[in-house]
Amino acid sequence: MAGYVGRFAPSPTGPLHTGSLVAALASWLDARAAGGRWLVRMEDVDTPRCSAQAARTILGQLDALGLRADEAPLWQSRRTRAYQDALDALVAGGLAYPCACSRAEVAAAHAAAGRTPTRHRPLPYPGTCRAGLQGRAPRAWRFACEKYWSKWLLAHAGLRQVARFSIANDRLAWTDRRLGVQTQNVPAEVGDFVLRRADGLWAYQLAVVVDDAFQTITHVVRGEDLADNTPRQMLLQAALGLPTPRYLHTPLVRGADGEKLSKQHGAPALQTSEPLQALQGAARVLGLSSVPAQTRAADALAHWVMAWRALYNPAP
């Protein structure tokens, strides 16, 4: 497919593990099945947690597995000017505002109202600083999600469809290529989310939207744990006048405790000395059939490209 651009965007806080390989392989297969380009972006915007050594390790692991990008990596740590320009544009449009709240203050506001967060479902920002800082010093910057939600509805009254999502019955609806139709009431479930953190670092939501547009990404393939981030990113894309890619969220690899396998939970580094063995494991998670043990890794990849094309035709 002419014009397809996909990407794999790891955070270099450590080497790839089995779970991250699933997303890497899926995004590579999707790009190759479409005859498109596959890029690697180092999401090292959280500079205290990321390292150049981890990034080099990741690139070496991908190369050893035959997953090679079509151009040099993009580094988020070198993109601060672009993120500031995006924030400035939102501020100029009245769609971003400073926030003086600490996490403890947000939690206290919810507790006073009798609301209790759960581990996997944090409560939305209560809007404390939406009307102004009341003389307090700003800490972070937030997207005026509730305000934009209303503005979007008004601008598209009678035609509640733009790009690749729609809003109806107070829920944003979009279609994931694997999960199907997904919906979320972003103001009610998320609220005015952070664009720039209190420590001065750029938030994931803003950085990923700006960089996907900069790299002309047409298709995003990533882990299922990021699916509920997608509505926030779609709203930001619309607010900034940026295109919305197509999304596919892959199955997660879970540990014995049922939690997502991750570096934070001690996932061991991916071993690439036997490339086919590593790739076979990721392919099984993706629902792709195994190949004979004597198969060359390059031939296995070619086989899975054809199988992927049949499963998830990456058409525009």
Side-chain angles (χ1 to χ4, degrees), residues 10-15 43-55 197 199 201 204 262-265:
S11 295
T13 57
E43 296 200 334
D44 61 340
V45 70
D46 192 347
T47 48
R49 295 180 59 241
C50 298
S51 75
Q53 178 56 52
R197 297 169 13 180
D199 58 9
L201 297 178
Y204 165 74
S262 67
K263 299 164 193 171
Q264 290 84 352
H265 286 84

Side-chain angles (χ1 to χ4, degrees), residues 156-173:
H156 298 86
L159 182 63
R160 294 187 175 183
Q161 180 76 39
V162 67
R164 298 187 184 276
F165 71 89
S166 63
I167 299 176
N169 301 319
D170 290 327
R171 299 189 69 80
L172 185 152

Side-chain angles (χ1 to χ4, degrees), residues 31 50 55 86 89 119 128 130-131 134 149 164 173 176 178 209 246 258:
C50 298
R119 182 177 180 185
T128 309
R130 196 176 290 146
Q134 309 301 318
W149 191 265
R164 298 187 184 276
D176 183 89
R178 172 178 163 263
V209 162
R246 297 185 70 203

Side-chain angles (χ1 to χ4, degrees), residues 172-225:
L172 185 152
W174 58 283
T175 301
D176 183 89
R177 292 170 54 208
R178 172 178 163 263
L179 301 174
V181 175
Q182 306 290 300
T183 68
Q184 186 181 88
N185 184 318
V186 188
E189 297 177 38
V190 178
D192 295 348
F193 53 89
V194 171
L195 301 172
R196 189 167 191 176
R197 297 169 13 180
D199 58 9
L201 297 178
W202 295 99
Y204 165 74
Q205 308 296 350
L206 181 66
V208 72
V209 162
V210 170
D211 288 340
D212 279 345
F214 176 74
Q215 293 187 287
T216 65
I217 300 300
T218 61
H219 291 62
V220 171
V221 178
R222 59 190 180 186
E224 190 175 324
D225 56 317

Side-chain angles (χ1 to χ4, degrees), residues 35-109:
R37 295 166 60 231
W38 186 68
L39 311 181
V40 171
R41 177 166 73 231
M42 286 296 165
E43 296 200 334
D44 61 340
V45 70
D46 192 347
T47 48
R49 295 180 59 241
C50 298
S51 75
Q53 178 56 52
R56 287 192 292 269
T57 298
I58 289 171
L59 293 173
Q61 289 174 303
L62 292 172
D63 184 71
L65 296 171
L67 307 180
R68 300 181 181 95
D70 293 309
E71 60 184 58
L74 182 76
W75 301 77
Q76 283 191 333
S77 57
R78 304 171 188 174
R79 299 267 302 147
T80 55
R81 182 69 257 171
Y83 308 145
Q84 185 63 58
D85 288 345
L87 178 59
D88 290 346
L90 292 171
V91 171
L95 295 177
Y97 62 89
C99 176
C101 299
S102 67
R103 291 185 181 181
E105 288 170 332
V106 171

